[in-house]
Amino acid sequence: MTYSSEVGERLRRIRVEQGLSLQEVERRSEGRWKAAVVGSYERGDRNISATRLLELADFYGVSAADVLPGETAPPPRADGGIVLDLPRLAELGEAWSGLRRYCASIQQQRGDYNRRVLSVRGEDLRAIAAIQAATVTELVAQLRVIGVIAGDDQLEDPPGQ
């Protein structure tokens, strides 16, 4: 398998996990990401530049490391963030309503409403910890206990916390 094919497979997996079609990517990006171009990246028919890869990863709300080949599963988020299981979060009581509102605002900002998971960047994680009156380390521990961190077996504590 070529490097471009591996990158393409990861891009496709991320897009599909977010519940997006190629046409939805084009629509949500207001034409910045053409369906045909993204499709050709995903098939490995076209090489993606480092700049475009970073831009597309940002559009999807993931780190560039999430789309780079290497391990069979994406590595932990490079920015110290986490990935939240939104259906599980929706099941939680009032104590987590602030986190749900914050996640909804992130989704609105990204124009991303059809996902079962949400990538939360390190800086957002610090803000959420403040909302929950906890340190980042305490928050991550709480989220692990209640099963809200998606793919938790692959995540580590955020750096510097």
Side-chain angles (χ1 to χ4, degrees), residues 13-26:
R13 180 185 45 77
I14 290 166
R15 177 181 57 78
V16 169
E17 283 177 1
Q18 294 182 5
L20 297 172
S21 68
L22 290 169
Q23 290 73 27
E24 287 173 309
V25 169
E26 184 169 341

Side-chain angles (χ1 to χ4, degrees), residues 127 135 155:
T135 67
L155 295 171

Side-chain angles (χ1 to χ4, degrees), residues 65-116:
D66 291 335
V67 295
L68 294 174
E71 305 167 21
T72 56
R77 290 186 47 89
D79 66 358
I82 58 175
V83 179
L84 298 177
D85 179 335
L86 296 177
R88 174 66 184 129
L89 180 60
E91 297 170 357
L92 301 178
E94 186 62 28
W96 296 97
S97 63
L99 176 56
R100 285 192 295 273
R101 283 191 306 274
Y102 197 90
C103 288
S105 72
I106 292 172
Q107 287 178 301
Q108 182 179 14
Q109 180 182 19
R110 295 179 187 169
D112 182 10
Y113 302 100
N114 295 323
R115 295 180 60 188
R116 297 184 51 81

Side-chain angles (χ1 to χ4, degrees), residues 2-153:
T2 67
Y3 185 83
S4 292
S5 296
E6 288 183 53
V7 169
E9 279 186 17
R10 286 177 176 245
L11 287 171
R12 183 178 191 287
R13 180 185 45 77
I14 290 166
R15 177 181 57 78
V16 169
E17 283 177 1
Q18 294 182 5
L20 297 172
S21 68
L22 290 169
Q23 290 73 27
E24 287 173 309
V25 169
E26 184 169 341
R27 183 178 49 79
R28 287 188 181 182
S29 70
E30 298 177 340
R32 181 173 184 204
W33 295 104
K34 302 293 184 199
V37 173
V38 174
S40 66
Y41 291 150
E42 291 179 0
R43 289 187 304 276
D45 295 341
R46 184 174 182 166
N47 290 328
I48 186 168
S49 70
T51 302
R52 294 291 283 173
L53 179 66
L54 291 171
E55 291 170 351
L56 188 54
D58 185 58
F59 172 78
Y60 286 142
V62 300
S63 71
D66 291 335
V67 295
L68 294 174
E71 305 167 21
T72 56
R77 290 186 47 89
D79 66 358
I82 58 175
V83 179
L84 298 177
D85 179 335
L86 296 177
R88 174 66 184 129
L89 180 60
E91 297 170 357
L92 301 178
E94 186 62 28
W96 296 97
S97 63
L99 176 56
R100 285 192 295 273
R101 283 191 306 274
Y102 197 90
C103 288
S105 72
I106 292 172
Q107 287 178 301
Q108 182 179 14
Q109 180 182 19
R110 295 179 187 169
D112 182 10
Y113 302 100
N114 295 323
R115 295 180 60 188
R116 297 184 51 81
V117 297
L118 179 68
S119 297
V120 178
R121 298 174 180 133
E123 58 199 47
D124 291 322
L125 194 54
R126 288 184 286 283
I128 293 166
I131 291 169
Q132 293 298 126
T135 67
V136 172
T137 301
E138 291 167 341
L139 174 66
V140 170
Q142 291 171 357
L143 294 173
R144 282 186 173 140
V145 167
I146 60 177
V148 175
I149 298 180
D152 191 32
D153 57 330

